[in-house]
Amino acid sequence: MPLSETAVIRSRRVVLPDGERPADVLIRDGRIEQIAEHGSLLAGDQHLTDLGDTALLPGLVDTHVHVNEPGRTEWEGFATATRAAAAGGVTTIIDMPLNSIPPTTTVAGLEAKRKTAEGQAWVDLGFWGGAVPGNVPDLEPLYRAGVFGFKSFLAPSGVDEFPHVEAADLEAALAEQARIGALAIIHAEDPTVLDSAPQQPGVHYRDFLASRPADAETAAVVRLLDTARRTGARVHILHVSSAAVLPLLRQAREDGVRVTAETCPHYLTLAAEQVPDGDTAFKCCPPIRDESNRDALWAALAAGEFVAVVSDHSPSTPDLKLLPEFGGSGDFAKAWGGIASLQLGLPAIWTEARRRGHTLGDVVRWMASGPASLVGLTGTKGAIAVGHDADLVAFDPDADFAVNAGELHHRNPVTPYAGRTLTGAVRTTWLRGRVVDVAAEPFGRQITRPADGQITRPEETQ
């Protein structure tokens, strides 16, 4: 359907902000113009798609994706990542400032990414900036250039060109981000705790888990919250794996600290007890923890303590994962840490959410409207609402399928979900009213942080 035409999408299960109900959704010029009673909009010369009992969801918003291009395109790239996103019902991604070369720590680095991404995106695409030692003068220019905020690591990132911040670096970066009104997103593990943890190489997952203890997350969050209190910065804790940090976040919010947190599908659907020896597809940092911790994360999610569930899609080549089936050693200590799951997040979460009594509306809140709100896209993305972009997903919540890693659109066929049976299949994805056909030409757009060109002062965001 050309963008200028109108269309009606009809379903008996449309997931709207106020609940799920039968409805007709009228699309004109790429936006949702009307939401009407089921069957009330006559097709006429409009294109009608009747989904029957297949659910209609808003396109998901994934604010935590490592595309890795330019520089490490053999790990992943804009074409492969955005095809995977579209196939998984994700219509907007925000790309992390590493593991690309150059990283997005300067305006020049941002422009290198934008130039490389031109004409390659099957979904809409935005960018995070990076806050690293010594680049405080770059933060305001990057923010004015449209990045959605700034990522920092409190422990080594794994790549030399994106160093972690020490205490003085963190203080300076958060003070500057508070001044310009930017969101700070933080990988929170404490390097001192990590250095003192037992380091036992080998194929046993229990040894790797002991090397990244929950105490490392707790210590890092304590330090971050203390700095956020002093600077007034708005901070967001990335990929929370340990439920032990949740009471700290609750108390900080009660004290007036502006802090939010996210978690990821792998922490909610996988457990340490399930990880086979040598299966380094499961390695990520912070690590997948035990079943009781997973249950506590679900309880926190149900209670509204996480604003988003996002992928932290961080793939690499099979040789770096050291997988035995690719001739590797299966050594968890030496393998690259990152989970490839961008195409599978929605069915993975739905499989477990349904088992625990949650609804499609819950999943939409966690994976669409919540992430959209985090990055300021509430008025255009993450909901089926009048005036929003017609980013939509036809989702069959009852369809089961077995994950074949070789059939995914990710550049490399590595995922811990390989061989698992998941429930829920994406049938069609629409981006601004147009069906996304990953075999055709891409038409995703590059998006920037919503702003009027003025730096927002912290007192204006209280």
Side-chain angles (χ1 to χ4, degrees), residues 65-79:
V65 179
H66 293 268
V67 175
N68 305 332
E69 189 178 14
R72 291 189 173 93
T73 311
E74 70 275 14
W75 295 16
E76 190 68 281
F78 289 108

Side-chain angles (χ1 to χ4, degrees), residues 15 116 131 257:
V15 180
T116 304
V257 178

Side-chain angles (χ1 to χ4, degrees), residues 149-446:
F150 298 95
K151 181 176 187 176
S152 295
F153 278 75
L154 302 189
S157 72
V159 293
D160 292 340
E161 67 276 1
F162 202 97
H164 70 288
V165 292
E166 303 284 358
D169 304 313
L170 179 65
E171 186 94 21
L174 290 192
E176 176 66 356
Q177 289 172 78
R179 185 186 73 81
I180 65 177
L183 173 64
I185 61 173
I186 308 293
H187 180 122
E189 288 182 287
D190 185 271
T192 302
V193 176
L194 295 178
D195 289 345
S196 64
Q199 303 295 320
Q200 179 64 46
V203 300
H204 301 305
Y205 185 74
R206 64 177 180 271
D207 293 331
F208 169 65
L209 187 60
S211 75
R212 314 289 296 210
D215 287 349
E217 284 187 76
T218 299
V221 168
V222 167
R223 178 158 64 96
L224 174 64
L225 293 175
D226 183 55
T227 311
R229 285 186 180 94
R230 288 196 305 275
T231 60
R234 178 185 168 212
V235 296
H236 176 73
I237 314 296
L238 298 168
H239 47 48
V240 170
S241 80
S242 169
V245 307
L246 296 169
L248 300 173
L249 301 181
R250 289 183 211 121
Q251 185 60 56
R253 283 190 286 266
E254 290 177 7
D255 294 343
V257 178
R258 296 184 297 164
V259 58
T260 53
E262 68 185 38
T263 192
C264 304
H266 41 279
Y267 301 130
L268 294 167
T269 65
L270 306 174
E273 293 90 340
Q274 304 167 346
V275 180
D277 284 351
D279 195 345
T280 50
F282 287 82
K283 180 181 177 179
C284 57
C285 300
I288 296 162
R289 304 194 187 277
D290 62 27
E291 291 179 357
S292 62
N293 179 81
R294 182 180 62 182
D295 289 342
L297 293 178
W298 272 102
L301 183 63
E305 295 188 49
F306 292 110
V307 299
V309 175
V310 289
S311 69
D312 189 11
H313 178 68
S314 186
S316 68
T317 54
D319 61 306
L320 291 177
K321 291 298 284 186
L322 302 180
L323 284 161
E325 60 262 42
F326 292 97
S329 65
D331 188 331
F332 279 99
K334 297 178 180 178
W336 175 258
I339 299 290
S341 65
L342 182 56
Q343 189 171 334
L344 299 171
L346 175 56
I349 286 294
W350 174 238
T351 300
E352 186 70 12
R354 186 167 76 164
R355 185 180 74 82
R356 292 173 180 265
H358 294 288
T359 67
L360 285 175
D362 294 329
V363 173
V364 164
R365 186 172 67 256
W366 302 330
M367 304 186 79
S369 59
S373 176
L374 175 70
V375 295
L377 294 175
T378 305
T380 56
K381 305 288 187 182
I384 300 177
V386 172
H388 278 56
D389 290 348
D391 299 347
L392 303 165
V393 178
F395 183 68
D396 184 344
D398 300 315
D400 294 331
F401 69 98
V403 176
N404 182 336
E407 295 177 352
L408 300 175
H409 291 283
H410 306 158
R411 187 175 296 280
N412 294 290
V414 176
T415 179
Y417 295 99
R420 288 176 174 262
T421 297
L422 300 179
T423 299
V426 173
R427 300 302 188 194
T428 307
T429 300
W430 291 265
L431 179 65
R432 284 174 274 105
R434 296 172 63 182
V435 172
V436 180
D437 179 357
V438 297
E441 290 296 314
F443 56 91
R445 295 175 179 170
Q446 294 186 32

Side-chain angles (χ1 to χ4, degrees), residues 107-127:
V107 171
L110 173 63
E111 291 307 318
K113 279 208 175 189
R114 285 176 170 167
K115 183 177 180 180
T116 304
E118 287 178 3
Q120 291 204 74
W122 270 264
V123 301
D124 285 354
L125 168 69
F127 301 96

